[in-house]
Amino acid sequence: MIRPILTYGASELETKSSPITQFDGQLKTLAQDMLETMYAAPGIGLAAPQVGVNLRLIVIDISGGERKGHQIIFANPEITEQEGTQKSEEGCLSVPRFMAVLERPGRVHVVGQDLEGHPQEIDAEGLLARAFCHEIDHLDGLLYLNRVSALKRDLIKIKIRKLVRAGEW
Ligand code: NI
């Protein structure tokens, strides 16, 4: 089921999410819904707070569903190592219509669990590393807007306020 994606201004997006302790059917449904919602958007990553659930669950597919075997589901993901930097334009389904250039680690090692609660880990670089950083930020109540310059952030916020006033946000 496709769920509505919350946009900037929703309190769930600025709340630190809780660790997942129940690896049950409800969690599997949430993960399935998040994948459907991400592909429909379309996007390459989604975190549970974006659909209003403050649990530490993320889904990523940097192929956008174009290639098999790219689907990633992580419960309780944590970056345990990072290396280098990359600078590139980043956007977010919760901040539609805007993009900003942002520095992220070039490579990350992520540990967490699958939907059964079994440990899993992955080495990611490039766009995938960026996606993990972005989605894990969501779990900590951070949007990419929190990581751009104050000037750029204020500019985007002013534009969003205008959209809100126009009833377009
Ligand atoms: Ni996002």
Side-chain angles (χ1 to χ4, degrees):
M1 190 184 75
I2 294 171
R3 304 196 189 193
I5 297 176
L6 301 181
T7 49
Y8 172 76
S11 63
E12 288 91 336
L13 294 175
E14 291 175 53
T15 302
K16 193 173 162 71
S17 290
S18 308
I20 291 164
T21 54
Q22 304 270 78
F23 294 87
D24 54 12
Q26 221 177 329
L27 184 69
K28 290 185 179 71
T29 303
L30 174 62
Q32 194 52 48
D33 286 356
M34 284 170 57
L35 284 168
E36 275 179 47
T37 305
M38 172 183 78
Y39 288 131
I44 60 164
L46 195 72
Q50 292 182 276
V51 292
V53 180
N54 281 118
L55 284 175
R56 302 187 78 81
L57 181 68
I58 61 171
V59 297
I60 294 172
D61 183 342
I62 58 165
S63 87
E66 293 297 311
R67 295 192 299 277
K68 273 201 159 32
H70 281 71
Q71 205 173 79
I72 292 170
I73 302 172
F74 252 84
N76 303 321
E78 238 180 282
I79 294 169
T80 55
E81 282 169 54
Q82 60 180 68
E83 208 178 75
T85 57
Q86 56 171 316
K87 221 171 180 174
S88 180
E89 218 171 35
E90 202 168 306
C92 177
L93 294 174
S94 293
V95 194
R97 289 185 256 195
F98 297 100
M99 301 279 275
V101 174
L102 201 58
E103 191 172 286
R104 295 286 194 182
R107 192 192 71 82
V108 293
H109 185 73
V110 183
V111 302
Q113 287 158 285
D114 64 17
L115 291 176
E116 307 294 333
H118 302 309
Q120 62 174 344
E121 54 188 303
I122 189 170
D123 275 311
E125 57 178 21
L127 181 59
L128 186 58
R130 174 176 293 278
F132 268 108
C133 294
H134 180 109
E135 302 312 332
I136 292 171
D137 268 356
H138 274 301
L139 304 182
D140 292 322
L142 293 174
L143 293 171
Y144 79 85
L145 292 181
N146 298 100
R147 295 193 183 274
V148 300
S149 71
L151 191 69
K152 177 81 184 167
R153 181 165 54 243
D154 288 345
L155 211 65
I156 293 177
K157 283 185 178 175
I158 287 167
K159 288 181 182 165
I160 291 175
R161 273 200 290 274
K162 274 188 192 155
L163 288 169
V164 170
R165 275 201 301 273
E168 289 171 23
W169 190 261

